[in-house]
Amino acid sequence: MDVEKSVRTAQPDDLALLVGRDRKSFIVRLEPGSQLHTHRGVLSHDDLIGNEWGTQLFTHIGYPFLFLRPSTDDLVRDLKRTTQIIYPKDAGYVLMKMCITPGCRVVEAGTGSGGLTLVFAQAVSSTGRVYSYEVRSEMQELARANLTQLGLAGFVEFKVRDVAEGFDERDADALFLDLPTPWDYLAQAHKALAGGGFFGCILPTTNQVSRLIGALEEAKFGLIEVEELLLRPYKAVPARLRPMDRMVAHTGYLIFARALIPLEE
């Protein structure tokens, strides 16, 4: 098959995003012989495979859907979850602040429903690795199922463990904590990180942030930063361009630091 054509057109096992005129969307993995049943009719996967991305396709009753590749944002929002996930606006910024790129070794705790795990796995592939710790086995099984469905589980090593017992990894490039009392695990985090390695955390309240800052200073971390991201979407209508009535405001405080190696006395 022409490589250029295979990039432009949908292939079996690709993930596809279908968006209707009402903005209702579906994400499916394309499998020969399968069907997508929607509120506006049925789409056969066989009729989707081989079509160019960006085209408009129709259900058996003639309802149009845009046929697109899903973004990471789409994948995260579509995850099956039983807990709150880290919002895409925060997850994307975490990648930049912590320099998470292909080939990196990233440690995280806890896994939750796997939203940030997904983002990390996609960022480090295909030569990196994510080590994800979670104390609740049922939550990690959900995350594993979510990433398996997206074809990303192969880049993640899932571990059911209380991180108070420590991390197995050493010289990791980055480590992120999504835990209610991260100050309890800073010694373990520092031991897992390489010298100068990136530390990150998300917390919902200022009193938690204050406690973490003080603990970071005592635990051999430096260059501490605290940030909050606000996302304000606009109505994309030329004649009525204005802010949307709702915005994604406070979702959490992001805390970043670097693991330092103290001078020997």
Side-chain angles (χ1 to χ4, degrees), residues 141-162:
E141 284 307 308
L142 173 60
R144 186 194 297 270
N146 280 334
L147 269 77
T148 298
Q149 186 176 10
L150 299 175
L152 293 170
F155 304 113
V156 183
E157 189 170 332
F158 294 97
K159 303 187 180 188
V160 179
R161 185 192 302 174
D162 184 345

Side-chain angles (χ1 to χ4, degrees), residues 97-226:
K97 291 290 288 189
M98 299 181 70
C99 197
I100 296 173
T101 56
C104 282
R105 297 171 64 244
V106 180
V107 180
E108 71 161 353
T111 311
S113 300
L116 189 60
T117 317
L118 180 168
V119 176
F120 284 157
Q122 193 175 70
V124 305
S125 64
S126 59
T127 56
R129 194 78 169 164
V130 179
Y131 306 91
S132 187
Y133 289 76
E134 174 61 60
V135 72
R136 299 162 296 178
S137 59
E138 71 281 2
M139 287 303 308
Q140 193 157 82
E141 284 307 308
L142 173 60
R144 186 194 297 270
N146 280 334
L147 269 77
T148 298
Q149 186 176 10
L150 299 175
L152 293 170
F155 304 113
V156 183
E157 189 170 332
F158 294 97
K159 303 187 180 188
V160 179
R161 185 192 302 174
D162 184 345
V163 295
E165 300 172 11
F167 298 97
D168 296 328
E169 293 68 40
R170 297 293 180 268
D171 294 322
D173 298 293
L175 186 147
F176 193 90
L177 298 181
D178 184 6
L179 302 170
T181 60
W183 47 84
D184 288 333
Y185 313 107
L186 295 183
Q188 295 89 328
H190 197 288
K191 194 172 182 179
L193 281 167
F198 294 87
F199 171 87
C201 183
I202 187 166
L203 289 168
T205 67
T206 55
N207 57 311
Q208 289 172 296
V209 174
S210 294
R211 184 166 180 179
L212 177 59
I213 293 172
L216 283 167
E217 292 174 344
E218 296 177 2
K220 304 172 187 175
F221 286 90
L223 300 180
I224 301 168
E225 298 177 276
V226 179

Side-chain angles (χ1 to χ4, degrees), residues 229-252:
L229 305 181
L230 308 178
L231 178 64
R232 187 180 191 182
Y234 280 68
K235 287 186 179 293
V237 180
R240 296 183 289 111
L241 179 63
R242 66 175 182 82
M244 298 285 279
D245 298 326
R246 296 182 180 182
M247 66 179 290
V248 183
H250 176 73
T251 50

